[in-house]
PDB file of all heavy atoms in Angstrom:
ATOM      1  N   SER L 383      51.728  53.517 -11.408  1.00  0.00           N
ATOM      2  CA  SER L 383      51.769  52.125 -11.861  1.00  0.00           C
ATOM      3  C   SER L 383      53.055  51.466 -11.359  1.00  0.00           C
ATOM      4  O   SER L 383      54.156  51.850 -11.711  1.00  0.00           O
ATOM      5  CB  SER L 383      51.689  52.046 -13.377  1.00  0.00           C
ATOM      6  OG  SER L 383      52.016  50.740 -13.758  1.00  0.00           O
ATOM      7  N   GLU L 384      52.842  50.466 -10.529  1.00  0.00           N
ATOM      8  CA  GLU L 384      53.971  49.722  -9.962  1.00  0.00           C
ATOM      9  C   GLU L 384      54.759  49.057 -11.092  1.00  0.00           C
ATOM     10  O   GLU L 384      55.980  49.024 -11.111  1.00  0.00           O
ATOM     11  CB  GLU L 384      53.389  48.672  -9.004  1.00  0.00           C
ATOM     12  CG  GLU L 384      54.350  48.126  -7.998  1.00  0.00           C
ATOM     13  CD  GLU L 384      54.941  49.236  -7.116  1.00  0.00           C
ATOM     14  OE1 GLU L 384      54.214  50.218  -6.786  1.00  0.00           O
ATOM     15  OE2 GLU L 384      56.119  49.104  -6.782  1.00  0.00           O
ATOM     16  N   LEU L 385      53.989  48.542 -12.074  1.00  0.00           N
ATOM     17  CA  LEU L 385      54.567  47.805 -13.180  1.00  0.00           C
ATOM     18  C   LEU L 385      55.549  48.705 -13.948  1.00  0.00           C
ATOM     19  O   LEU L 385      56.676  48.309 -14.254  1.00  0.00           O
ATOM     20  CB  LEU L 385      53.420  47.380 -14.105  1.00  0.00           C
ATOM     21  CG  LEU L 385      53.682  46.236 -15.038  1.00  0.00           C
ATOM     22  CD1 LEU L 385      54.022  44.978 -14.277  1.00  0.00           C
ATOM     23  CD2 LEU L 385      52.438  45.976 -15.913  1.00  0.00           C
ATOM     24  N   LEU L 386      55.107  49.916 -14.242  1.00  0.00           N
ATOM     25  CA  LEU L 386      55.941  50.855 -15.008  1.00  0.00           C
ATOM     26  C   LEU L 386      57.207  51.207 -14.253  1.00  0.00           C
ATOM     27  O   LEU L 386      58.300  51.247 -14.834  1.00  0.00           O
ATOM     28  CB  LEU L 386      55.127  52.119 -15.263  1.00  0.00           C
ATOM     29  CG  LEU L 386      55.082  52.515 -16.726  1.00  0.00           C
ATOM     30  CD1 LEU L 386      53.688  52.369 -17.262  1.00  0.00           C
ATOM     31  CD2 LEU L 386      55.554  53.948 -16.856  1.00  0.00           C
ATOM     32  N   ARG L 387      57.036  51.402 -12.948  1.00  0.00           N
ATOM     33  CA  ARG L 387      58.198  51.744 -12.120  1.00  0.00           C
ATOM     34  C   ARG L 387      59.222  50.623 -12.193  1.00  0.00           C
ATOM     35  O   ARG L 387      60.420  50.856 -12.351  1.00  0.00           O
ATOM     36  CB  ARG L 387      57.756  51.973 -10.689  1.00  0.00           C
ATOM     37  CG  ARG L 387      58.703  52.873  -9.903  1.00  0.00           C
ATOM     38  CD  ARG L 387      58.353  52.893  -8.427  1.00  0.00           C
ATOM     39  NE  ARG L 387      56.931  53.126  -8.215  1.00  0.00           N
ATOM     40  CZ  ARG L 387      56.357  54.331  -8.268  1.00  0.00           C
ATOM     41  NH1 ARG L 387      57.098  55.400  -8.506  1.00  0.00           N
ATOM     42  NH2 ARG L 387      55.068  54.474  -8.079  1.00  0.00           N
ATOM     43  N   ASN L 388      58.751  49.375 -12.113  1.00  0.00           N
ATOM     44  CA  ASN L 388      59.652  48.237 -12.161  1.00  0.00           C
ATOM     45  C   ASN L 388      60.397  48.190 -13.488  1.00  0.00           C
ATOM     46  O   ASN L 388      61.607  47.927 -13.520  1.00  0.00           O
ATOM     47  CB  ASN L 388      58.883  46.933 -11.981  1.00  0.00           C
ATOM     48  CG  ASN L 388      58.488  46.749 -10.529  1.00  0.00           C
ATOM     49  OD1 ASN L 388      59.066  47.404  -9.649  1.00  0.00           O
ATOM     50  ND2 ASN L 388      57.489  45.901 -10.291  1.00  0.00           N
ATOM     51  N   TYR L 389      59.671  48.425 -14.555  1.00  0.00           N
ATOM     52  CA  TYR L 389      60.299  48.412 -15.883  1.00  0.00           C
ATOM     53  C   TYR L 389      61.408  49.440 -15.926  1.00  0.00           C
ATOM     54  O   TYR L 389      62.526  49.180 -16.388  1.00  0.00           O
ATOM     55  CB  TYR L 389      59.283  48.719 -16.967  1.00  0.00           C
ATOM     56  CG  TYR L 389      58.573  47.510 -17.525  1.00  0.00           C
ATOM     57  CD1 TYR L 389      57.200  47.393 -17.477  1.00  0.00           C
ATOM     58  CD2 TYR L 389      59.327  46.500 -18.144  1.00  0.00           C
ATOM     59  CE1 TYR L 389      56.557  46.293 -17.977  1.00  0.00           C
ATOM     60  CE2 TYR L 389      58.676  45.395 -18.668  1.00  0.00           C
ATOM     61  CZ  TYR L 389      57.292  45.295 -18.591  1.00  0.00           C
ATOM     62  OH  TYR L 389      56.669  44.206 -19.097  1.00  0.00           O
ATOM     63  N   LEU L 390      61.106  50.632 -15.463  1.00  0.00           N
ATOM     64  CA  LEU L 390      62.047  51.745 -15.578  1.00  0.00           C
ATOM     65  C   LEU L 390      63.299  51.522 -14.752  1.00  0.00           C
ATOM     66  O   LEU L 390      64.372  52.023 -15.081  1.00  0.00           O
ATOM     67  CB  LEU L 390      61.374  53.046 -15.177  1.00  0.00           C
ATOM     68  CG  LEU L 390      60.336  53.530 -16.194  1.00  0.00           C
ATOM     69  CD1 LEU L 390      59.524  54.684 -15.638  1.00  0.00           C
ATOM     70  CD2 LEU L 390      61.033  53.947 -17.495  1.00  0.00           C
ATOM     71  N   ASN L 391      63.177  50.769 -13.672  1.00  0.00           N
ATOM     72  CA  ASN L 391      64.340  50.535 -12.837  1.00  0.00           C
ATOM     73  C   ASN L 391      65.218  49.370 -13.277  1.00  0.00           C
ATOM     74  O   ASN L 391      66.240  49.091 -12.685  1.00  0.00           O
ATOM     75  CB  ASN L 391      63.886  50.294 -11.390  1.00  0.00           C
ATOM     76  CG  ASN L 391      63.577  51.595 -10.699  1.00  0.00           C
ATOM     77  OD1 ASN L 391      64.222  52.625 -10.996  1.00  0.00           O
ATOM     78  ND2 ASN L 391      62.577  51.606  -9.833  1.00  0.00           N
ATOM     79  N   ASP L 392      64.761  48.703 -14.339  1.00  0.00           N
ATOM     80  CA  ASP L 392      65.546  47.578 -14.839  1.00  0.00           C
ATOM     81  C   ASP L 392      66.684  48.062 -15.718  1.00  0.00           C
ATOM     82  O   ASP L 392      66.732  49.245 -16.075  1.00  0.00           O
ATOM     83  CB  ASP L 392      64.596  46.648 -15.615  1.00  0.00           C
ATOM     84  CG  ASP L 392      65.087  45.214 -15.591  1.00  0.00           C
ATOM     85  OD1 ASP L 392      66.263  45.018 -15.200  1.00  0.00           O
ATOM     86  OD2 ASP L 392      64.290  44.304 -15.911  1.00  0.00           O
ATOM     87  N   ASN L 393      67.581  47.144 -16.100  1.00  0.00           N
ATOM     88  CA  ASN L 393      68.721  47.549 -16.951  1.00  0.00           C
ATOM     89  C   ASN L 393      68.456  47.153 -18.403  1.00  0.00           C
ATOM     90  O   ASN L 393      67.698  46.245 -18.690  1.00  0.00           O
ATOM     91  CB  ASN L 393      69.992  46.789 -16.514  1.00  0.00           C
ATOM     92  CG  ASN L 393      70.383  47.188 -15.105  1.00  0.00           C
ATOM     93  OD1 ASN L 393      69.751  48.062 -14.490  1.00  0.00           O
ATOM     94  ND2 ASN L 393      71.397  46.540 -14.599  1.00  0.00           N
ATOM     95  N   PHE L 394      69.123  47.865 -19.282  1.00  0.00           N
ATOM     96  CA  PHE L 394      69.045  47.542 -20.720  1.00  0.00           C
ATOM     97  C   PHE L 394      69.820  46.274 -21.026  1.00  0.00           C
ATOM     98  O   PHE L 394      70.865  45.988 -20.440  1.00  0.00           O
ATOM     99  CB  PHE L 394      69.705  48.654 -21.551  1.00  0.00           C
ATOM    100  CG  PHE L 394      68.792  49.807 -21.825  1.00  0.00           C
ATOM    101  CD1 PHE L 394      69.076  51.070 -21.341  1.00  0.00           C
ATOM    102  CD2 PHE L 394      67.656  49.618 -22.623  1.00  0.00           C
ATOM    103  CE1 PHE L 394      68.248  52.130 -21.631  1.00  0.00           C
ATOM    104  CE2 PHE L 394      66.817  50.688 -22.887  1.00  0.00           C
ATOM    105  CZ  PHE L 394      67.110  51.947 -22.389  1.00  0.00           C
ATOM    106  N   TYR L 395      69.294  45.466 -21.961  1.00  0.00           N
ATOM    107  CA  TYR L 395      70.103  44.422 -22.588  1.00  0.00           C
ATOM    108  C   TYR L 395      70.684  45.049 -23.853  1.00  0.00           C
ATOM    109  O   TYR L 395      70.151  46.021 -24.389  1.00  0.00           O
ATOM    110  CB  TYR L 395      69.243  43.234 -22.971  1.00  0.00           C
ATOM    111  CG  TYR L 395      68.878  42.371 -21.783  1.00  0.00           C
ATOM    112  CD1 TYR L 395      67.844  42.761 -20.916  1.00  0.00           C
ATOM    113  CD2 TYR L 395      69.566  41.188 -21.514  1.00  0.00           C
ATOM    114  CE1 TYR L 395      67.499  41.983 -19.831  1.00  0.00           C
ATOM    115  CE2 TYR L 395      69.233  40.417 -20.423  1.00  0.00           C
ATOM    116  CZ  TYR L 395      68.196  40.805 -19.587  1.00  0.00           C
ATOM    117  OH  TYR L 395      67.894  40.048 -18.512  1.00  0.00           O
ATOM    118  N   ILE L 396      71.791  44.503 -24.296  1.00  0.00           N
ATOM    119  CA  ILE L 396      72.403  45.045 -25.510  1.00  0.00           C
ATOM    120  C   ILE L 396      72.672  43.913 -26.492  1.00  0.00           C
ATOM    121  O   ILE L 396      73.081  42.810 -26.100  1.00  0.00           O
ATOM    122  CB  ILE L 396      73.727  45.776 -25.175  1.00  0.00           C
ATOM    123  CG1 ILE L 396      73.408  47.039 -24.370  1.00  0.00           C
ATOM    124  CG2 ILE L 396      74.521  46.111 -26.426  1.00  0.00           C
ATOM    125  CD1 ILE L 396      74.597  47.821 -23.956  1.00  0.00           C
ATOM    126  N   MET L 397      72.438  44.171 -27.795  1.00  0.00           N
ATOM    127  CA  MET L 397      72.767  43.192 -28.804  1.00  0.00           C
ATOM    128  C   MET L 397      73.354  43.922 -30.000  1.00  0.00           C
ATOM    129  O   MET L 397      72.941  45.052 -30.309  1.00  0.00           O
ATOM    130  CB  MET L 397      71.509  42.446 -29.220  1.00  0.00           C
ATOM    131  CG  MET L 397      71.815  41.291 -30.172  1.00  0.00           C
ATOM    132  SD  MET L 397      70.318  40.365 -30.625  1.00  0.00           S
ATOM    133  CE  MET L 397      70.429  38.999 -29.513  1.00  0.00           C
TER     134      MET L 397
END
Side-chain angles (χ1 to χ4, degrees):
Chain L
S383 168
E384 200 58 36
L385 201 61
L386 232 113
R387 204 189 312 280
N388 285 341
Y389 271 122
L390 288 170
N391 280 327
D392 208 345
N393 297 356
F394 276 117
Y395 284 79
I396 292 179
M397 186 179 262

